[in-house]
Amino acid sequence: MNSPMASRAVTGLCSPPLCGFICHRFFAHRRPSHIRSPGLGIWSPPLSRSRCSGFSLRLRSSPRQIHSLVESVMEELESIRSRKRLRALNKVGFPASKELSEVKLGKRVLQKGLLLEFRKDPQKLLLAVTQKPDGKKNWMVYDQNGTVSSIKPQQVTYIVPGIEDFDHTDIPAFIHKAQDLLDPTMLEYAWAELLENKKQVTVEELAEIIYGSSESLESYCTHLLLSKDDIYFNEIERKGSHTAYEPRPVVQVEELSHRKRVKEESEKELQEFVGLLKSAKAKPVHSKPPKSSWTSEESIERWVKSLEAYAVDACENEEQKKTAGNILKAMGLLKTSAAAVNLLIDIGYFPVHVNLDLLKFNIRTEHSDEVLLAAEDLMMQSADLDEVSRKDLTFLKVYAIDVDEADELDDALSAMRLQDGRIRIWIHVADPTCLVKRQSIVDREALRRGTSIFLPTATFPMFPEKLAMESMSLQQGKLCKAVTVSVTLHQDGSIAEYTIDNSIIRPTYMLTYESATELLHLNLEEEAELRLLSEAALLRLQWRRSQGAIDTTTIEPRIKVVNADDPEPSINLYVEDQSDLAMRLVSEMMILCGEVVATFGSHNNIPLPYRGQPQSNISSSAFSHLPEGPVRSAAFVRIMRAAEMDFKKPIRHDILGVPGYVQFTSPIRRYVDLLAHYQIKAFLRNEPLPFSSGELEGITCLVNMHVKFARRLYNSNLRYWLLEYLRRQTRGRKFRALILRFIKDRVAAILLVEVGIQASASVSVGNLIGDEIEVVIEEAHPRDDVLSLKEVLVDQEAITEEVS
C-alpha cells in the first residue's frame, strides 16, 4: 500500500477527487430510494451519524432542536452528495442531462513491458509481463509464477492501463496490493449510481467511480471485480482485451441476487451435511448413527435421498443427480454410483451387503395393510365350494419333499402298486383358489407380484406370508385341501390313465431332499411307497429320453444368509446335484403332472398357459462325446432355443420330451400356475371358464415380465453371496473345477464343483473339456462382480519322485 496509486485510493476516501468520497462515504450510507436492494426491500437513507470531508456536527439541546438540526444537516449533506455525484459522473463522460453517449473502445497493441492478464487454460487466469514477439502474432511472456511461455493474442483477457515497462518481479506485490483493495460491495454502489444513466462504461471509467482513480492498480481491481460479478453488470461489447459494461435492470438484479442467496444457502447446507457425513464415516462400525437419524429432518433427508438415488442409478431429475454429484465432489470422491454406494455404507445408512437391486427396482417387500386385512378375513372363512366333490385321500401315505428352509409347501406325492404290477401315482397340489377368488384384492396383489421372490437373504411371497404358510400350504399331519392329479403308468413309463380331482389329504412326511435320498438308500420296507415313487421316476426319465428329452441336470448352489445386515453375516452354502435320487424323483413327478394337465386341457378344449420348447437345430448327438452331467448339460443349455407359449392347445416341449406341458404344481408361488388352477377348477365345477385364451395370453405376458425380473434378481443376488463366500475363504485354498468349454485359446469356462459357480480361468496346455483341475482364488469382489482364478499346476517331478 506504499505505491502512489494505492495511496490515492486510500486518501481519496476523505479528500478530492469527490468520486472517492462517493464510494466510501456516500455509497456506504445512502442508496437511491427508487431501487430495491435484493432481499432487503426498498432502499432508504438511514438517519445515522454524519461525518465526511471535514464536515462534522455535534448534537446538543432539546430533542426538537436536535431533530431540526438533523434535518438541516441531512439536507445539506444531500446537496453535497448530489454535487459530488454529478462531478464523478461528468468525469467519466456522463452529461448532466443524462443523455446516453457512446463509449468508444480503444485498441492497445502488444509491446514489451506491458502488464496483462491472460487465460492459461479454461480454469486459470494469470498476470504476466510481455517480453518479446514470438512469430508474427504470439508473444513471449513472464507470468506471476516465474514461468516463460508463448501466448496468442486471443488468450489476453485484460491489459492493465498506465504501465509500459513493468518489471515481472513486481507482479506478486502488485497482486497483493490489489487483493487489499478488493471489495465486491463497491460494485453494488456503483451499479446503483449508474442505473439511472443506463450508460455503457469501460473498466477504467468504472474505476473512477469506485476508487476515484483509473490508475493501473485501481483499474485492475475493477477488472477483477467485474470478472467475478454475475449480478450487477452485463458485458455488452468486447474488443480484444477491452470490454464495455452496462448496469443490469433492477428486476434482473433482484432475480440474480435471489438465485445467489439460494445457492449460498444451499452451499452452506451442503457443507453442514458433508460435515455430518465425515463425522459418521469416522466412527467405528457399531457406533454409526442409525438410518432413521438421516431421515428425521427434512433438509438432511433430501440430501441423503439424492445420494441414495444416485447410488442405484434412479435419480428422478437432473437436479437430484447434480445434488448427489456435488456431495461426492465435496467429499473428495469420484462422481460414480459405486462411490455413492460405498459412502452410504461407510456412514452406516446402507448395510455392508445392501441389495441394490431391491432399491433400484422398488421391489414390493411388504404387503399393504389392506391386503393383510383381506388375507386375515380369508383365513377366518370356512366355506368350501368344492367340499361335496372332494375325494377323501387321507388313507394314502403322502410325502412332501422340498428344501429344508421352504416356507410354502405346495406339492406332495403318493404311490401304490396295482395288482397288475403297474404303478399308480398321486400328485397332490395345494388348492389356494378355494380361498382366493378371482379379481379379489388378494388376487390382484398376487398378479402384480407375479411370483414369490426367493433370495439368499429373504423371501418375498406372492401371497401374504401367514395366508400362504398356514391356510394354503400343505402341512404335516393336518387335513389339507388339494387338487390331486392321479396317474397310472404303463410299464414303459408312458401315461395309461389319469384323473384330476378336488381332494382332501393328510401329509405324512415333510422331507428334505437330503433326508429323502437317505431313506431311499436305506431301502426300508416300511417306506415302500417312497421306493415306488423313485421307480416311477426312473421309468418316466427313460420314457422321456426315448421321446428325445435332453438331460440338463447339473450342479446348483443354494445359499442361506443369516443376519444379512451385519457386516459379517453367516453364510450357509449347499451344493445340490440335480441328478440326486430325491431331486430326480420330485422333478419327474412335476413334469408328469404338467403333461397330464396339458392332456386334460387338450381333451376338454380348456384354454391354458401351454408351454413348449422347440429342439435346437444342432442335434444332441453332437455332444455325445462329452461326459454326462454338468459338462454335457452346459453344452445343451448353450444351444437351447427360447420357450414358447400357446393358450388354445398344447405345443410340444422337445427339451422335456413331452407332447404338452402346463405349469401347475406351484400355485402359491407362481401366478401362471394359479391361472391354470382357476381354469381347471371352474371346469371341474361345470362353471364358465374365467379366462379366454386371449385374456390368458395378456395376463401371462405381464406375469412373465415379473418372473424374468425375479429370476435375474435371484441370479445376481446368488452370485453376489457366492463371491462373498469365496472372498472369505482361506487364501491358497484349492477348489476342484470342471472344464466346461474353451472360450479363447487356453481360457476356459469352468465350474467350481464344491461351490456351484461358473467362472473363467487360463488352463495349462493338455487339459481337455471335461477334465478336472484345481484352482485357487486370486481375487473375489462381490460388489464389483469380480472373480479371478488361477490353476494350480501339478509338479510332475514331485509326483514322479513320490511314485518311485
Side-chain angles (χ1 to χ4, degrees), residues 59-121:
L59 298 177
R60 300 194 187 103
S61 298
S62 66
R64 185 184 187 115
Q65 291 174 319
I66 291 173
H67 180 69
S68 176
L69 287 172
V70 169
E71 286 182 340
S72 300
V73 171
M74 292 304 297
E75 290 174 0
E76 180 64 24
L77 181 58
E78 178 61 26
S79 175
I80 294 173
R81 286 170 172 165
S82 298
R83 291 196 299 272
K84 291 179 178 179
R85 182 168 66 254
L86 182 61
R87 289 174 59 190
L89 295 176
N90 285 333
K91 187 173 182 180
V92 296
F94 294 157
S97 63
K98 299 182 181 179
E99 294 179 357
L100 298 179
S101 63
E102 192 73 24
V103 176
K104 303 297 182 182
L105 295 176
K107 292 186 177 180
R108 296 194 63 184
V109 180
L110 290 178
Q111 62 187 40
K112 186 178 186 304
L114 291 181
L115 178 63
L116 55 81
E117 180 189 76
F118 74 96
R119 189 173 297 281
K120 185 174 179 63
D121 57 52

Side-chain angles (χ1 to χ4, degrees), residues 164-176:
E164 295 183 354
D165 191 14
F166 199 84
D167 188 339
H168 66 81
T169 60
D170 292 334
I171 295 179
F174 184 84
I175 294 175
H176 180 72

Side-chain angles (χ1 to χ4, degrees), residues 475-500:
Q475 301 180 60
Q476 183 174 350
K478 295 184 178 181
L479 293 176
C480 300
K481 298 165 187 174
V483 178
T484 296
V485 175
S486 173
V487 190
T488 301
L489 298 179
H490 285 302
Q491 295 296 340
D492 65 351
S494 61
I495 298 172
E497 302 169 4
Y498 69 84
T499 62
I500 299 179

Side-chain angles (χ1 to χ4, degrees), residues 757-798:
I757 190 173
Q758 290 192 24
S760 61
S762 296
V763 299
S764 56
V765 176
N767 283 311
L768 303 174
I769 294 177
D771 286 352
E772 186 174 300
I773 62 175
E774 286 188 329
V775 297
V776 294
I777 310 298
E778 287 195 314
E779 286 184 288
H781 301 296
R783 186 66 63 196
D784 301 323
D785 192 19
V786 172
L787 176 60
S788 177
L789 305 174
K790 182 179 180 181
E791 181 187 7
V792 178
L793 299 177
V794 178
D795 189 341
Q796 295 294 340
E797 293 183 4

Side-chain angles (χ1 to χ4, degrees), residues 427 485-490 493-498 500 539-541 543-544 547 549 587-603 608 610-611 650-653 656-665 680:
I427 304 161
V485 175
S486 173
V487 190
T488 301
L489 298 179
H490 285 302
S494 61
I495 298 172
E497 302 169 4
Y498 69 84
I500 299 179
L539 286 175
R540 285 292 300 170
L541 176 61
W543 180 81
R544 288 194 306 106
Q547 302 300 306
S587 176
E588 289 298 333
M589 295 303 103
M590 299 305 104
I591 295 171
L592 174 60
C593 181
E595 182 185 352
V596 170
V597 173
T599 304
F600 182 83
S602 177
H603 286 172
L608 290 170
Y610 298 102
R611 184 178 296 271
I651 53 177
R652 182 166 180 79
H653 202 303
L656 297 180
V658 294
Y661 181 72
V662 173
Q663 289 182 322
F664 192 77
T665 58
I680 297 295

